[in-house]
Amino acid sequence: MKVSIITVVYNRAATIERAILSVLGQSYNNIEYIIVDGASKDGTVDIIHQYKDRVHAVVSEKDNGMYDALNKGIRMASGDVVGILHADDEFSNDLVIEKIAERFRANTEVEAVYGDVGFVRNGEDDKIVRYYSSAIFKTKLFTWGFMPAHPTFFCYRRFFEEFGYYRTDMQIAADFDLLLRFLRKHKLYALYIPEMLVKMNMGGKSTNGLSSTLRINKEIKQILKDHQLPSNYLRLYARYFVKVWEFGKKKK
């Protein structure tokens, strides 16, 4: 089973090498790694080229944002299963992809998998400051703004062709829309892996202060409306009580 991993990046010279090494260091030996760069100007491309012999495909050109770049990478992929690793993030250990592939191989009914995310601050990769567990997730919780940890989501590539790619009219919440479509609308059989699969840097698009909080909830509300699902801002903001509790959780 070939697993394609997509990293999209723009001006992340400080973190891209860590992400690349995280993929190249995986124990699983049937990985296709694709990097889509948005024409970075800060030295990111120079770092990527240091590993060009071990990366299967590199594209560096202007795009229409992160989700456009992700769609581009997925369309280039030839793997049976597709997942992403953002340029600020890293897999929690070298066995992650092996464990994910094993879940697909062990049960032919499994169509997607996801796990947990640990949040870290830049320069403190070993200190988990917030732990997001996907264990509580049920599809009915989409109407409250909850979803499984998107950076840990892997599914068969064919589902992107069948059910559609990421929306490019959203700045932050297109991952919410995609997971809602795949898991609730199309009812993919997803298996939860009860452990941290990805370390995610604080300060990304979805966690970068008040402006990103307002934006993501506005987009989620619009997505729910587009899918004719009930929701309101009271519900969406209520989930932040859970987020506060996550800061006290420990890494599993």
Side-chain angles (χ1 to χ4, degrees):
M1 174 182 287
K2 183 191 291 186
V3 179
S4 296
I5 300 173
I6 316 298
T7 293
V8 302
V9 58
Y10 180 69
N11 288 345
R12 287 292 184 270
T15 61
I16 185 61
E17 186 171 35
R18 183 179 62 205
I20 292 172
L21 292 174
S22 177
V23 176
L24 298 182
Q26 290 296 302
S27 61
Y28 193 69
N29 61 11
N30 196 5
I31 292 175
E32 175 186 57
Y33 190 28
I34 298 170
I35 301 177
V36 182
D37 172 70
S40 294
K41 301 176 178 63
D42 69 340
T44 293
V45 176
D46 293 333
I47 295 171
I48 294 170
H49 282 169
Q50 293 177 22
Y51 299 94
K52 63 181 180 181
D53 293 339
R54 301 175 65 189
V55 176
H56 296 81
V58 177
V59 175
S60 184
E61 61 188 19
K62 288 186 178 181
D63 52 50
N64 293 317
M66 176 177 67
Y67 296 116
D68 177 52
L70 279 172
N71 290 341
K72 190 183 301 183
I74 295 167
R75 289 188 173 100
M76 293 172 60
S78 63
D80 304 289
V81 170
V82 173
I84 66 170
L85 185 72
H86 291 305
D88 288 339
D89 304 339
E90 62 183 316
F91 291 119
S92 59
N93 59 67
D94 295 344
L95 299 174
V96 168
I97 303 304
E98 187 172 327
K99 292 177 181 178
I100 288 170
E102 177 57 32
R103 297 308 193 280
F104 283 102
R105 286 196 303 256
N107 186 344
T108 57
E109 294 184 358
V110 172
E111 297 172 312
V113 301
Y114 56 78
D116 299 344
V117 161
F119 289 83
V120 299
R121 292 191 175 92
N122 194 27
E124 298 180 341
D125 300 341
D126 295 327
K127 183 179 180 182
I128 306 300
V129 297
R130 174 185 160 204
Y131 192 90
Y132 183 93
S133 174
S134 298
I136 66 168
F137 176 74
K138 300 290 186 294
T139 55
K140 64 183 179 181
L141 291 177
F142 275 119
T143 59
W144 291 78
F146 286 101
M147 63 179 178
H150 174 251
T152 71
F153 181 76
F154 284 72
C155 73
Y156 284 110
R157 178 172 53 87
R158 67 177 184 269
F159 294 130
F160 290 95
E161 299 170 356
E162 292 179 25
F163 307 143
Y165 294 78
Y166 290 96
R167 289 177 60 166
T168 56
D169 61 333
M170 297 285 166
Q171 294 183 24
I172 303 179
D175 48 356
F176 180 87
D177 172 79
L178 184 133
L179 291 179
L180 188 156
R181 284 186 285 116
F182 282 27
L183 299 179
R184 179 169 176 141
K185 181 178 180 180
H186 297 290
K187 297 179 170 52
L188 293 190
Y189 177 56
L191 181 70
Y192 167 60
I193 300 176
E195 62 182 271
M196 182 175 68
L197 301 181
V198 173
K199 292 182 183 179
M200 184 175 179
N201 259 2
M202 299 286 288
K205 275 193 172 185
S206 62
T207 59
N208 195 19
L210 179 61
S211 62
S212 66
T213 298
L214 296 173
R215 164 60 77 175
I216 196 171
N217 284 291
K218 181 179 179 180
E219 291 187 3
I220 288 174
K221 190 171 185 296
Q222 181 62 50
I223 289 165
L224 291 169
K225 180 180 178 181
D226 293 344
H227 287 279
Q228 299 181 328
L229 292 172
S231 190
N232 55 60
Y233 283 123
L234 181 61
R235 274 190 176 194
L236 296 181
Y237 282 98
R239 78 185 190 280
Y240 287 91
F241 289 104
V242 175
K243 290 180 179 290
V244 170
W245 175 66
E246 290 169 359
F247 280 91
K249 294 191 71 175
K250 300 296 183 182
K251 169 181 171 295
K252 291 183 179 181

